[in-house]
Amino acid sequence: MRAVNGRVMEESKLVPFLDVKATYLELKSSMDAAYKRVMDSGHYILGPEVEAFEREFASMCGSSDCLGVSNGLDALHLILKAYGIGPGDEVIVPSNTFIATWLAVSFCGATVVPVEPDIESYNIDPKLIERAITEKTRAIIPVHLYGQVADMEPIMTIARVHNLVVIEDSAQAHLAVYKGKLAGNLGHAAAFSFYPGKNLGAFGDAGCVTTSDKALYKKIKQLRNYGSDVKYHHLVQGTNARLDELQAAFLRSKLELLSGWTQKRQNIASQYINALRNHSAIKVPKVKDSSSHVWHLFVVRVKNRDRFQKHMMEHGIHTLVHYPIAPHLQEAYKSAGWRKGSFPISEQIHDQVVSLPIGPHMLDAHVTRVIDACLAYKDESF
Ligand SMILES: *Cc1c(COP(=O)(O)O)cnc(C)c1O
């Protein structure tokens, strides 16, 4: 007879979208030790934990330098600021992304120039970038959306020809690989987020910048700390965008597990793809041969999303939408004058995408339940 233990109970419940608390439970002893270490040190802002994390994360990405900052949005914002990008400048961004990519540009006073994605990979389409370039263009921000690296080789070629800066939005792409190189090390600088739900998440807000550009590194180091290298000597009008010691210590505890967690995500994703690749009503994402996807999100497309989400909920499966409204149709960008139809590919993606549960602590029984529920779904085909 099967014992009614915690595990069995767990399997029969609602399949959660992501269990973030499970990472704490797995790492409880090292997390608790990290907490104690920082508390006992009496050092809470920009100390040894941040420095150690910066060294360790840079080496993990193969980048020469890393700077811990307050969050992913600030990481993007500081990079743009450090490159002197501001009013009158244009920055190319994907038309479909989480809105932070756009807000970083707008906060600098620069103008976002959206470029449509390739619908198969959901990432910016390099073939459409060149026609968006004007004499005001200063930078391109490719986003490695959902955990797959954008097609960086043609993007870097275009940037070289037009003398543009390339800033990777790697907020969803920790440890993702493109042609043998890791995300965060493919452009001139990269922004990472350690928001709790990201593949590497803190227990609060956190982020970092990686770069191999020494001059940029020095500028951002000043900018994140009131424009100062030496206390009370302010060289530029900086901000407060520092990473704290406690978050850095927690992140350090997680680093050695990240690669295994990524493999777990990849294993779940291959099970989903194998089971659903011939499903006529559910379109699974396409992975480019040149890259290793880290599956921050497993995003499929369906024709009737409300119906699909209702069907999944009836099977006890929680799904989410990343993201329901395209940035150009958000109230926040109303003044720019875009309308429905301005970026049709992005709009189609935003209308059809839905994310299935995925995460390093997902139970095998839950993976099977998601697959079975998807296989039981009948609807209009693609
Ligand atoms: C999460 C995210 C950000 C912003 O990161 P925060 O740490 O939440 O500020 C930026 N870009 C993308 C693509 C993201 O997913």
Side-chain angles (χ1 to χ4, degrees), residues 71-73 98 100-101 143 169 171-172 193 198 206:
N71 57 60
L73 173 61
F98 176 56
T101 320
V143 178
D169 182 336
Q172 304 187 356
S193 164
K198 299 287 160 86

Side-chain angles (χ1 to χ4, degrees), residues 95 102 114 116 325-331 333-348 350-351:
S95 55
W102 288 36
E116 287 269 69
I325 303 169
H328 71 278
L329 298 176
Q330 296 282 357
E331 194 69 22
Y333 281 94
K334 203 172 166 181
S335 61
W338 288 301
R339 281 164 286 108
K340 211 162 171 51
S342 297
F343 299 102
I345 302 173
S346 178
E347 288 167 27
Q348 188 188 338
H350 284 83
D351 287 344

Side-chain angles (χ1 to χ4, degrees), residues 70-74 76 97-98 100-101 143 145 169 171-172 192-195 198 205-207 296 323:
S70 38
N71 57 60
L73 173 61
D74 284 343
L76 284 168
T97 178
F98 176 56
T101 320
V143 178
L145 202 65
D169 182 336
Q172 304 187 356
F192 284 89
S193 164
F194 306 123
Y195 177 80
K198 299 287 160 86
D205 276 311
H296 170 56
Y323 303 92

